[in-house]
Amino acid sequence: MPPIEDNIRRVQDKIAERLDRLGRAADSVTLIAVTKTHPVEAVEAALRAGIAHIGENKVQEALRKIPLLRVPYEGFHFIGHLQSNKINNLLTLKPLLIQSIDSLYIARELNNSLGRKNLTQDILVQVNTTAETTKSGVSFENAAEMVWQIAALPCLRIRGLMTIGLMSIDPERTRPYFSQLRELGEKIEKQGIPGVKMEYLSMGMSDDYLVALEEGSNMLRLGSALFGAREYGGRQ
Ligand SMILES: *Cc1c(COP(=O)(O)O)cnc(C)c1O
């Protein structure tokens, strides 16, 4: 079996085993293959091996690759920092979920573009749970307030929260942040904000997805665990 298929099988087994141990249904998690830096052929191999959702973090790269895919997929997820001048290009790719809405400014710009096209868009609000300056995301403290403000924008539908854990060798260090994001989601859900559903908790990457599952994640974004290490600077 080619390596990508092998990796996918192995990761799927680990996820299934952990969900079983947690008493959660096998289909309670959406697995997103993060395809950034990997060529179209690798993405197609993943789709043929049973991956249904793909994620990219740069609009330019997604524009270059997604239209070339000849294997069908269920959903394209945008997971990177979105700049306002890239919004229209991103919308041509019909993202199932834009997971990385990190400011009221970009939410308003996106809402305006959608309004002009008579479209609505499902989004997640990205929370910078670890408060690292190198990361995008609304601060933990301001997240609920921002959800209220975005909820008032008619073309956006908030479907949950997304976060990135600590880039640490020890996933246990990220556990408290995952747990805080789950609690924040529950708190926001209880506020009954019109049009807002805390359906997705997108947390967990290659180094911390098992911990994320234990803390209630139902959407994993995995790159290197499926495709191997990324090489930047070369052909992307
Ligand atoms: C790159 C990336 C991932 C996947 O990272 P891996 O550690 O390779 O699994 C997940 N989420 C976001 C937002 C990313 O940019």
Side-chain angles (χ1 to χ4, degrees):
M1 236 200 298
I4 292 174
E5 294 181 20
D6 257 1
N7 293 344
I8 291 173
R9 213 61 71 221
R10 200 168 46 238
V11 166
Q12 282 174 334
D13 284 351
K14 278 196 198 174
I15 294 171
E17 186 253 349
R18 190 60 53 110
L19 289 175
D20 184 55
R21 219 197 297 167
L22 294 166
R24 291 178 54 184
D27 61 357
S28 64
V29 168
T30 302
L31 172 57
I32 297 166
V34 177
T35 52
K36 65 189 186 199
T37 77
H38 299 293
V40 171
E41 299 74 50
V43 184
E44 289 180 333
L47 292 170
R48 276 191 223 99
I51 288 291
H53 294 262
I54 52 179
E56 287 279 345
N57 71 336
K58 293 206 168 72
V59 174
Q60 290 310 108
E61 184 179 347
L63 273 180
R64 202 162 63 232
K65 283 155 57 179
I66 306 272
L68 299 180
L69 292 174
R70 288 155 305 174
V71 186
Y73 55 88
E74 263 176 55
F76 161 60
H77 299 247
F78 187 70
I79 61 172
H81 177 65
L82 180 58
Q83 293 168 297
S84 55
N85 62 350
K86 304 275 168 60
I87 288 174
N88 286 325
N89 276 339
L90 175 59
L91 293 178
T92 65
L93 298 173
K94 302 194 178 4
L96 183 70
L97 207 48
I98 299 177
Q99 301 206 359
S100 40
I101 295 301
D102 53 10
S103 70
L104 186 57
Y105 168 76
I106 199 67
R108 286 188 173 136
E109 294 284 309
L110 178 59
N111 181 68
N112 291 343
S113 297
L114 290 160
R116 285 192 288 271
K117 301 178 208 300
N118 252 313
L119 294 172
T120 58
Q121 175 70 53
D122 284 355
I123 62 159
L124 303 182
V125 168
Q126 181 175 352
V127 183
N128 187 356
T129 48
T130 59
E132 289 166 289
T133 51
T134 50
K135 274 186 209 155
S136 320
V138 61
S139 73
F140 190 79
E141 293 72 29
N142 294 335
E145 171 70 17
M146 204 174 91
V147 169
W148 276 97
Q149 290 167 319
I150 294 177
L153 304 174
C155 303
L156 298 182
R157 305 195 313 162
I158 300 181
R159 283 293 167 269
L161 304 175
M162 183 272 245
T163 200
I164 300 174
L166 286 175
M167 302 297 177
S168 161
I169 333 167
D170 180 8
E172 285 301 328
R173 290 190 54 215
T174 291
R175 187 186 293 277
Y177 301 108
F178 285 163
S179 147
Q180 281 168 21
L181 192 74
R182 185 194 62 233
E183 285 165 14
L184 178 65
E186 289 164 359
K187 187 184 112 185
I188 291 171
E189 183 73 46
K190 282 206 193 90
Q191 297 180 356
I193 308 171
V196 173
K197 253 202 246 163
M198 286 291 123
E199 195 177 339
Y200 298 115
L201 213 45
S202 175
M203 53 188 200
M205 299 168 39
S206 293
D207 293 328
D208 54 23
Y209 67 97
L210 294 174
V211 166
L213 287 178
E214 288 171 358
E215 296 304 326
S217 168
N218 60 11
M219 196 167 255
L220 302 174
R221 310 179 310 270
L222 304 186
S224 44
L226 306 180
F227 297 102
R230 281 182 291 277
E231 282 176 43
Y232 289 97
R235 198 173 63 94
Q236 289 191 5

